[in-house]
Amino acid sequence: MDKGLHFTFCVMTAMLLLRETSQTGEKEHPKMLGASGEALPILTVTTILEDPYVMVRSAELEGYCIDLLKALAAMLHFGYRVKVVGDGQYGAVSPSGNWTGMVGEILRQEADIAVAPLTVTSAREEVVSFTTPFLQTGIGILLRKDTASQEMSFFHFLAPFSKETWTGLLFAYLLTCFCLFLVARLSPCEWNEPKNEENHFTFLNSLWFGAGALALQGVTPRPKALSVRVIAAVWWLFTIALLAAYIANFTALLSSSTEQLPIQTFEDLVKQRKLEFGTLEGSSTFYFFKNSKNPIHQMIYEYMDKRRDRVLVKTYQEAVQRVMESNYAFIGESISQDLAAARHCNLIRAPEVIGARGFGIATTQASPWTKKLSIAVLKLRELGDLDYLRNKWWESSCLHRSRDSWSPMQPQALGGLFLTLAIGLALGVIAAVVELSNKSRHAAGHAKKSCCSVFTEEMCARLRIKENTRQNQETSGR
């Protein structure tokens, strides 16, 4: 009996000692064996469910942050246990003065680190430590395309070219028509006997000829002289290239949605009354507008604060769903909005991004893991692993053009075309002068006059043909 009591006492003592050892180890860091047999520390990692950072697939967690955590664990040789934050919050100060979300769990030592899309802010930096940001982002506006679109302006067909380009095209058209009119009068091959023949290339007919070429239509009068044909051919080449550029840019304009967005900036969002707008409740974005001194940002905060029950959302998924189903604009992290636009082709992010910031890994203050994790993040960036993860989880299934890829065509883009036209006009005028000079030289030989005087007489006669024609018509009528 004494031996039995003694054995029972020894067993109970051993169990108590093992329990105390287990509790002491948990307060420090529990160990696990690595691939080479060495003991590895196990960190408790808190995170939040948000696509594509952390998602549940087949009862397992996956996503950008999970892949990042695996890479960090392999580089720094530690094990980890991942837990989803209990209240579903990122971390903000509650009315009672306590921190909620992942920041609160780190302060209560319920977790060692937080690997999630947790924005680095000054308020959070005061209570926890952050590593070097692993993702850069900002604050943007997420919209649905059909609610954000507006009717095209009445003169929207002029948008493919800039105002300077249209001005240059008008000048080129008038100059070409004038050169046609001038060369057709000077060239003896187009108009051999000014006193007896009628020249069909009047200035109005020249304008009509140039306009017909713009419409790719053959119009009369048809050029006979080489000089006139040179100008006509160059103008035809100019119009074909011009129409091709216009059609291509107009097609790009119709497929681009940026120019159809009346909401380009946060100021545009405040001025409109069609869409409600809000952000995540208790997020850093909400406090950014609260603390900002910018008048526009203050107006946004006052709008959201007065309607917080209606415009503030609990989760990012709820925000995206609300944007897709109602007249609602979501203000949040631009990088998350880019993902939503990549996954849902009817969504788009407005061009303006404010409040540049980064996502960092949160640790307890004075934690030895802060510097180690920062160095590891920098190494992953230098190796290109962070870019690989960004491309992997932000891959787009939409086939639309980039919203910043379209812009009105400037004159510089058509500079070579304008230069070709100018050279062609110059060649046409030179050819007309040469043709007139040849005729004047032959006529001077027959009339035994100087070539210059005959050339001057011919030019004056051709440039005053309307007056001479009227006199001839009056004389024949009498």
Side-chain angles (χ1 to χ4, degrees), residues 35-51:
S36 58
E38 76 277 11
L40 302 179
I42 299 179
L43 303 181
T44 301
V45 181
T46 181
T47 188
I48 192 170
L49 294 178
E50 181 176 331
D51 187 9

Side-chain angles (χ1 to χ4, degrees), residues 142-208:
L142 185 66
L143 308 160
R144 196 171 77 247
K145 289 182 180 179
D146 56 349
T147 58
S149 61
Q150 64 179 357
E151 295 182 358
M152 293 185 181
S153 63
F154 192 70
F155 295 99
H156 198 65
F157 68 95
L158 297 176
F161 291 158
S162 64
K163 294 180 180 179
E164 295 80 5
T165 304
W166 283 117
T167 303
L169 293 178
L170 178 61
F171 178 77
Y173 167 69
L174 295 176
L175 179 61
T176 302
C177 294
F178 176 75
C179 288
L180 275 173
F181 166 72
L182 178 63
V183 169
R185 281 183 171 274
L186 295 179
S187 175
C189 300
E190 187 70 35
W191 198 15
N192 192 24
E193 296 293 338
K195 295 182 179 180
N196 302 324
E197 295 181 14
E198 181 181 357
N199 191 325
H200 298 288
F201 270 99
T202 62
F203 187 67
L204 291 178
N205 285 346
S206 300
L207 291 175
W208 179 245

